[in-house]
mmCIF file of all heavy atoms in Angstrom:
data_model
loop_
_atom_site.group_PDB
_atom_site.id
_atom_site.type_symbol
_atom_site.label_atom_id
_atom_site.label_comp_id
_atom_site.label_asym_id
_atom_site.label_seq_id
_atom_site.Cartn_x
_atom_site.Cartn_y
_atom_site.Cartn_z
ATOM 1 N N PRO A 1 -4.722 -12.617 -21.698
ATOM 2 C CA PRO A 1 -5.287 -12.564 -20.350
ATOM 3 C C PRO A 1 -6.446 -13.564 -20.195
ATOM 4 O O PRO A 1 -7.228 -13.762 -21.119
ATOM 5 C CB PRO A 1 -5.818 -11.132 -20.246
ATOM 6 C CG PRO A 1 -5.052 -10.355 -21.276
ATOM 7 C CD PRO A 1 -4.848 -11.330 -22.403
ATOM 8 N N MET A 2 -6.523 -14.190 -19.020
ATOM 9 C CA MET A 2 -7.673 -15.051 -18.654
ATOM 10 C C MET A 2 -8.688 -14.148 -17.963
ATOM 11 O O MET A 2 -8.613 -13.912 -16.766
ATOM 12 C CB MET A 2 -7.230 -16.146 -17.670
ATOM 13 C CG MET A 2 -6.715 -17.420 -18.295
ATOM 14 S SD MET A 2 -6.044 -18.544 -17.027
ATOM 15 C CE MET A 2 -7.501 -19.010 -16.104
ATOM 16 N N GLY A 3 -9.624 -13.606 -18.731
ATOM 17 C CA GLY A 3 -10.538 -12.603 -18.191
ATOM 18 C C GLY A 3 -10.006 -11.209 -18.458
ATOM 19 O O GLY A 3 -9.057 -11.014 -19.216
ATOM 20 N N ALA A 4 -10.609 -10.219 -17.805
ATOM 21 C CA ALA A 4 -10.263 -8.815 -18.076
ATOM 22 C C ALA A 4 -8.897 -8.464 -17.513
ATOM 23 O O ALA A 4 -8.487 -8.956 -16.467
ATOM 24 C CB ALA A 4 -11.323 -7.900 -17.480
ATOM 25 N N SER A 5 -8.200 -7.583 -18.242
ATOM 26 C CA SER A 5 -6.988 -6.926 -17.742
ATOM 27 C C SER A 5 -7.332 -5.439 -17.671
ATOM 28 O O SER A 5 -8.508 -5.065 -17.681
ATOM 29 C CB SER A 5 -5.827 -7.174 -18.704
ATOM 30 O OG SER A 5 -6.082 -6.526 -19.949
ATOM 31 N N ASP A 6 -6.322 -4.581 -17.612
ATOM 32 C CA ASP A 6 -6.579 -3.141 -17.698
ATOM 33 C C ASP A 6 -7.046 -2.759 -19.102
ATOM 34 O O ASP A 6 -7.793 -1.797 -19.271
ATOM 35 C CB ASP A 6 -5.364 -2.313 -17.267
ATOM 36 C CG ASP A 6 -4.018 -2.946 -17.591
ATOM 37 O OD1 ASP A 6 -3.979 -4.132 -17.984
ATOM 38 O OD2 ASP A 6 -2.982 -2.271 -17.444
ATOM 39 N N TYR A 7 -6.599 -3.546 -20.112
ATOM 40 C CA TYR A 7 -6.972 -3.252 -21.502
ATOM 41 C C TYR A 7 -8.133 -4.145 -21.929
ATOM 42 O O TYR A 7 -7.985 -5.115 -22.654
ATOM 43 C CB TYR A 7 -5.745 -3.343 -22.414
ATOM 44 C CG TYR A 7 -4.856 -2.166 -22.144
ATOM 45 C CD1 TYR A 7 -3.885 -2.214 -21.138
ATOM 46 C CD2 TYR A 7 -5.049 -0.959 -22.802
ATOM 47 C CE1 TYR A 7 -3.121 -1.100 -20.822
ATOM 48 C CE2 TYR A 7 -4.287 0.161 -22.496
ATOM 49 C CZ TYR A 7 -3.335 0.083 -21.509
ATOM 50 O OH TYR A 7 -2.598 1.199 -21.194
ATOM 51 N N ALA A 8 -9.324 -3.773 -21.393
ATOM 52 C CA ALA A 8 -10.578 -4.471 -21.698
ATOM 53 C C ALA A 8 -11.689 -3.430 -21.670
ATOM 54 O O ALA A 8 -11.567 -2.400 -21.004
ATOM 55 C CB ALA A 8 -10.841 -5.561 -20.661
ATOM 56 N N ARG A 9 -12.760 -3.724 -22.397
ATOM 57 C CA ARG A 9 -13.872 -2.752 -22.450
ATOM 58 C C ARG A 9 -14.761 -2.844 -21.212
ATOM 59 O O ARG A 9 -15.445 -1.898 -20.861
ATOM 60 C CB ARG A 9 -14.701 -2.997 -23.723
ATOM 61 C CG ARG A 9 -13.946 -2.677 -25.017
ATOM 62 C CD ARG A 9 -14.564 -3.376 -26.216
ATOM 63 N NE ARG A 9 -14.429 -4.828 -26.106
ATOM 64 C CZ ARG A 9 -15.171 -5.700 -26.775
ATOM 65 N NH1 ARG A 9 -16.123 -5.270 -27.592
ATOM 66 N NH2 ARG A 9 -14.974 -6.994 -26.630
ATOM 67 N N THR A 10 -14.749 -4.016 -20.549
ATOM 68 C CA THR A 10 -15.529 -4.207 -19.323
ATOM 69 C C THR A 10 -14.699 -5.061 -18.367
ATOM 70 O O THR A 10 -13.718 -5.677 -18.777
ATOM 71 C CB THR A 10 -16.852 -4.956 -19.604
ATOM 72 O OG1 THR A 10 -16.530 -6.222 -20.206
ATOM 73 C CG2 THR A 10 -17.779 -4.183 -20.525
ATOM 74 N N VAL A 11 -15.118 -5.128 -17.111
ATOM 75 C CA VAL A 11 -14.495 -6.030 -16.137
ATOM 76 C C VAL A 11 -15.264 -7.341 -16.180
ATOM 77 O O VAL A 11 -16.478 -7.366 -15.967
ATOM 78 C CB VAL A 11 -14.529 -5.412 -14.720
ATOM 79 C CG1 VAL A 11 -14.022 -6.410 -13.689
ATOM 80 C CG2 VAL A 11 -13.695 -4.137 -14.680
ATOM 81 N N TYR A 12 -14.567 -8.439 -16.495
ATOM 82 C CA TYR A 12 -15.240 -9.740 -16.634
ATOM 83 C C TYR A 12 -14.280 -10.868 -16.269
ATOM 84 O O TYR A 12 -13.061 -10.735 -16.381
ATOM 85 C CB TYR A 12 -15.737 -9.946 -18.087
ATOM 86 C CG TYR A 12 -14.599 -10.051 -19.084
ATOM 87 C CD1 TYR A 12 -14.069 -11.297 -19.459
ATOM 88 C CD2 TYR A 12 -14.021 -8.900 -19.633
ATOM 89 C CE1 TYR A 12 -12.999 -11.381 -20.343
ATOM 90 C CE2 TYR A 12 -12.947 -8.987 -20.512
ATOM 91 C CZ TYR A 12 -12.444 -10.226 -20.858
ATOM 92 O OH TYR A 12 -11.367 -10.321 -21.714
ATOM 93 N N SER A 13 -14.857 -11.988 -15.824
ATOM 94 C CA SER A 13 -14.102 -13.240 -15.655
ATOM 95 C C SER A 13 -14.852 -14.311 -16.433
ATOM 96 O O SER A 13 -15.790 -14.007 -17.179
ATOM 97 C CB SER A 13 -13.999 -13.619 -14.178
ATOM 98 O OG SER A 13 -15.252 -14.113 -13.713
ATOM 99 N N TYR A 14 -14.464 -15.569 -16.274
ATOM 100 C CA TYR A 14 -15.194 -16.667 -16.930
ATOM 101 C C TYR A 14 -16.274 -17.244 -16.015
ATOM 102 O O TYR A 14 -16.860 -18.281 -16.319
ATOM 103 C CB TYR A 14 -14.220 -17.792 -17.335
ATOM 104 C CG TYR A 14 -13.122 -17.360 -18.281
ATOM 105 C CD1 TYR A 14 -11.850 -17.913 -18.189
ATOM 106 C CD2 TYR A 14 -13.346 -16.404 -19.270
ATOM 107 C CE1 TYR A 14 -10.832 -17.537 -19.057
ATOM 108 C CE2 TYR A 14 -12.332 -16.011 -20.136
ATOM 109 C CZ TYR A 14 -11.070 -16.583 -20.023
ATOM 110 O OH TYR A 14 -10.067 -16.203 -20.878
ATOM 111 N N ASN A 15 -16.522 -16.555 -14.866
ATOM 112 C CA ASN A 15 -17.563 -17.035 -13.954
ATOM 113 C C ASN A 15 -18.062 -15.864 -13.115
ATOM 114 O O ASN A 15 -17.803 -15.791 -11.912
ATOM 115 C CB ASN A 15 -17.000 -18.155 -13.067
ATOM 116 C CG ASN A 15 -18.099 -19.002 -12.424
ATOM 117 O OD1 ASN A 15 -19.060 -18.470 -11.892
ATOM 118 N ND2 ASN A 15 -17.952 -20.306 -12.481
ATOM 119 N N ASP A 16 -18.759 -14.953 -13.766
ATOM 120 C CA ASP A 16 -19.268 -13.768 -13.072
ATOM 121 C C ASP A 16 -20.638 -14.055 -12.470
ATOM 122 O O ASP A 16 -21.502 -14.647 -13.127
ATOM 123 C CB ASP A 16 -19.362 -12.592 -14.049
ATOM 124 C CG ASP A 16 -17.990 -12.124 -14.503
ATOM 125 O OD1 ASP A 16 -17.067 -12.122 -13.668
ATOM 126 O OD2 ASP A 16 -17.836 -11.786 -15.688
ATOM 127 N N LEU A 17 -20.835 -13.609 -11.234
ATOM 128 C CA LEU A 17 -22.079 -13.878 -10.507
ATOM 129 C C LEU A 17 -22.627 -12.590 -9.895
ATOM 130 O O LEU A 17 -21.869 -11.668 -9.614
ATOM 131 C CB LEU A 17 -21.823 -14.877 -9.367
ATOM 132 C CG LEU A 17 -21.205 -16.231 -9.720
ATOM 133 C CD1 LEU A 17 -20.944 -17.022 -8.443
ATOM 134 C CD2 LEU A 17 -22.119 -17.028 -10.641
ATOM 135 N N PRO A 18 -23.947 -12.553 -9.644
ATOM 136 C CA PRO A 18 -24.507 -11.426 -8.896
ATOM 137 C C PRO A 18 -23.890 -11.374 -7.495
ATOM 138 O O PRO A 18 -23.482 -12.400 -6.949
ATOM 139 C CB PRO A 18 -26.009 -11.756 -8.806
ATOM 140 C CG PRO A 18 -26.258 -12.735 -9.912
ATOM 141 C CD PRO A 18 -24.983 -13.506 -10.077
ATOM 142 N N GLU A 19 -23.816 -10.172 -6.938
ATOM 143 C CA GLU A 19 -23.189 -9.979 -5.625
ATOM 144 C C GLU A 19 -23.821 -10.907 -4.582
ATOM 145 O O GLU A 19 -25.048 -11.074 -4.538
ATOM 146 C CB GLU A 19 -23.359 -8.519 -5.188
ATOM 147 C CG GLU A 19 -22.330 -8.119 -4.154
ATOM 148 C CD GLU A 19 -22.362 -6.623 -3.852
ATOM 149 O OE1 GLU A 19 -22.805 -5.855 -4.730
ATOM 150 O OE2 GLU A 19 -21.928 -6.262 -2.760
ATOM 151 N N GLY A 20 -22.964 -11.533 -3.781
ATOM 152 C CA GLY A 20 -23.447 -12.407 -2.703
ATOM 153 C C GLY A 20 -23.587 -13.866 -3.096
ATOM 154 O O GLY A 20 -23.749 -14.734 -2.243
ATOM 155 N N GLU A 21 -23.524 -14.161 -4.405
ATOM 156 C CA GLU A 21 -23.650 -15.557 -4.851
ATOM 157 C C GLU A 21 -22.277 -16.198 -5.019
ATOM 158 O O GLU A 21 -21.290 -15.519 -5.296
ATOM 159 C CB GLU A 21 -24.411 -15.639 -6.181
ATOM 160 C CG GLU A 21 -25.884 -15.305 -6.056
ATOM 161 C CD GLU A 21 -26.645 -15.557 -7.353
ATOM 162 O OE1 GLU A 21 -26.195 -16.413 -8.158
ATOM 163 O OE2 GLU A 21 -27.672 -14.886 -7.568
ATOM 164 N N THR A 22 -22.235 -17.526 -4.847
ATOM 165 C CA THR A 22 -21.003 -18.285 -5.110
ATOM 166 C C THR A 22 -21.341 -19.477 -6.007
ATOM 167 O O THR A 22 -22.503 -19.869 -6.122
ATOM 168 C CB THR A 22 -20.356 -18.796 -3.807
ATOM 169 O OG1 THR A 22 -21.269 -19.687 -3.164
ATOM 170 C CG2 THR A 22 -20.005 -17.651 -2.859
ATOM 171 N N ASP A 23 -20.321 -20.059 -6.633
ATOM 172 C CA ASP A 23 -20.518 -21.197 -7.551
ATOM 173 C C ASP A 23 -19.325 -22.138 -7.434
ATOM 174 O O ASP A 23 -18.537 -22.282 -8.367
ATOM 175 C CB ASP A 23 -20.686 -20.669 -8.984
ATOM 176 C CG ASP A 23 -20.889 -21.774 -10.015
ATOM 177 O OD1 ASP A 23 -21.271 -22.896 -9.618
ATOM 178 O OD2 ASP A 23 -20.647 -21.517 -11.213
ATOM 179 N N PRO A 24 -19.176 -22.801 -6.261
ATOM 180 C CA PRO A 24 -17.987 -23.644 -6.052
ATOM 181 C C PRO A 24 -17.872 -24.812 -7.037
ATOM 182 O O PRO A 24 -16.772 -25.322 -7.252
ATOM 183 C CB PRO A 24 -18.139 -24.145 -4.620
ATOM 184 C CG PRO A 24 -19.530 -23.842 -4.223
ATOM 185 C CD PRO A 24 -20.029 -22.724 -5.063
ATOM 186 N N ASP A 25 -18.978 -25.222 -7.661
ATOM 187 C CA ASP A 25 -18.926 -26.296 -8.658
ATOM 188 C C ASP A 25 -18.683 -25.761 -10.068
ATOM 189 O O ASP A 25 -18.629 -26.539 -11.032
ATOM 190 C CB ASP A 25 -20.221 -27.128 -8.625
ATOM 191 C CG ASP A 25 -20.401 -27.859 -7.309
ATOM 192 O OD1 ASP A 25 -19.370 -28.267 -6.729
ATOM 193 O OD2 ASP A 25 -21.547 -27.998 -6.851
ATOM 194 N N LEU A 26 -18.558 -24.445 -10.200
ATOM 195 C CA LEU A 26 -18.301 -23.775 -11.491
ATOM 196 C C LEU A 26 -19.330 -24.160 -12.559
ATOM 197 O O LEU A 26 -19.003 -24.318 -13.739
ATOM 198 C CB LEU A 26 -16.869 -24.075 -11.978
ATOM 199 C CG LEU A 26 -15.727 -23.642 -11.046
ATOM 200 C CD1 LEU A 26 -14.367 -24.054 -11.612
ATOM 201 C CD2 LEU A 26 -15.742 -22.131 -10.804
ATOM 202 N N THR A 27 -20.574 -24.294 -12.154
ATOM 203 C CA THR A 27 -21.622 -24.684 -13.104
ATOM 204 C C THR A 27 -21.904 -23.580 -14.116
ATOM 205 O O THR A 27 -22.407 -23.841 -15.204
ATOM 206 C CB THR A 27 -22.928 -25.036 -12.366
ATOM 207 O OG1 THR A 27 -23.289 -23.934 -11.520
ATOM 208 C CG2 THR A 27 -22.764 -26.294 -11.512
ATOM 209 N N ARG A 28 -21.560 -22.330 -13.754
ATOM 210 C CA ARG A 28 -21.823 -21.208 -14.673
ATOM 211 C C ARG A 28 -20.545 -20.727 -15.375
ATOM 212 O O ARG A 28 -20.506 -19.638 -15.940
ATOM 213 C CB ARG A 28 -22.500 -20.062 -13.904
ATOM 214 C CG ARG A 28 -23.980 -20.368 -13.632
ATOM 215 C CD ARG A 28 -24.644 -19.303 -12.796
ATOM 216 N NE ARG A 28 -24.511 -19.602 -11.370
ATOM 217 C CZ ARG A 28 -25.033 -18.845 -10.400
ATOM 218 N NH1 ARG A 28 -25.702 -17.742 -10.713
ATOM 219 N NH2 ARG A 28 -24.880 -19.180 -9.128
ATOM 220 N N PHE A 29 -19.523 -21.568 -15.343
ATOM 221 C CA PHE A 29 -18.263 -21.242 -16.024
ATOM 222 C C PHE A 29 -18.485 -21.166 -17.541
ATOM 223 O O PHE A 29 -19.163 -22.020 -18.124
ATOM 224 C CB PHE A 29 -17.218 -22.326 -15.721
ATOM 225 C CG PHE A 29 -15.933 -22.156 -16.492
ATOM 226 C CD1 PHE A 29 -14.888 -21.421 -15.978
ATOM 227 C CD2 PHE A 29 -15.779 -22.725 -17.761
ATOM 228 C CE1 PHE A 29 -13.707 -21.249 -16.692
ATOM 229 C CE2 PHE A 29 -14.614 -22.555 -18.488
ATOM 230 C CZ PHE A 29 -13.570 -21.815 -17.948
ATOM 231 N N SER A 30 -17.889 -20.167 -18.186
ATOM 232 C CA SER A 30 -17.994 -20.042 -19.651
ATOM 233 C C SER A 30 -16.899 -19.137 -20.197
ATOM 234 O O SER A 30 -16.604 -18.089 -19.614
ATOM 235 C CB SER A 30 -19.356 -19.447 -20.029
ATOM 236 O OG SER A 30 -19.375 -19.098 -21.396
ATOM 237 N N ILE A 31 -16.306 -19.531 -21.334
ATOM 238 C CA ILE A 31 -15.343 -18.651 -22.012
ATOM 239 C C ILE A 31 -16.010 -17.963 -23.212
ATOM 240 O O ILE A 31 -15.344 -17.540 -24.151
ATOM 241 C CB ILE A 31 -14.065 -19.399 -22.463
ATOM 242 C CG1 ILE A 31 -14.399 -20.511 -23.472
ATOM 243 C CG2 ILE A 31 -13.289 -19.945 -21.271
ATOM 244 C CD1 ILE A 31 -13.186 -20.953 -24.287
ATOM 245 N N ALA A 32 -17.344 -17.825 -23.147
ATOM 246 C CA ALA A 32 -18.097 -17.215 -24.262
ATOM 247 C C ALA A 32 -17.523 -15.855 -24.659
ATOM 248 O O ALA A 32 -17.494 -15.511 -25.850
ATOM 249 C CB ALA A 32 -19.570 -17.079 -23.886
ATOM 250 N N HIS A 33 -17.057 -15.085 -23.682
ATOM 251 C CA HIS A 33 -16.484 -13.773 -24.005
ATOM 252 C C HIS A 33 -15.347 -13.905 -25.008
ATOM 253 O O HIS A 33 -15.267 -13.150 -25.979
ATOM 254 C CB HIS A 33 -15.968 -13.070 -22.737
ATOM 255 C CG HIS A 33 -15.247 -11.792 -23.048
ATOM 256 N ND1 HIS A 33 -13.927 -11.777 -23.468
ATOM 257 C CD2 HIS A 33 -15.658 -10.498 -23.072
ATOM 258 C CE1 HIS A 33 -13.570 -10.532 -23.722
ATOM 259 N NE2 HIS A 33 -14.591 -9.736 -23.481
ATOM 260 N N ASP A 34 -14.461 -14.871 -24.803
ATOM 261 C CA ASP A 34 -13.286 -15.028 -25.674
ATOM 262 C C ASP A 34 -13.665 -15.559 -27.061
ATOM 263 O O ASP A 34 -12.916 -15.369 -28.018
ATOM 264 C CB ASP A 34 -12.269 -15.973 -25.029
ATOM 265 C CG ASP A 34 -11.602 -15.362 -23.809
ATOM 266 O OD1 ASP A 34 -12.029 -14.262 -23.388
ATOM 267 O OD2 ASP A 34 -10.663 -15.976 -23.263
#
C-alpha cells in the first residue's frame, strides 16, 4: 500500500498536513514511514 490501508496501526499518507493546510508543491512529501 502507498500509505495506510485498513491493515495499519495509524491513518497516514506520504504528505499529512494539519487541517485546513495544503501543499500543492509537495514540499512536505516523505516516505519516512515506510
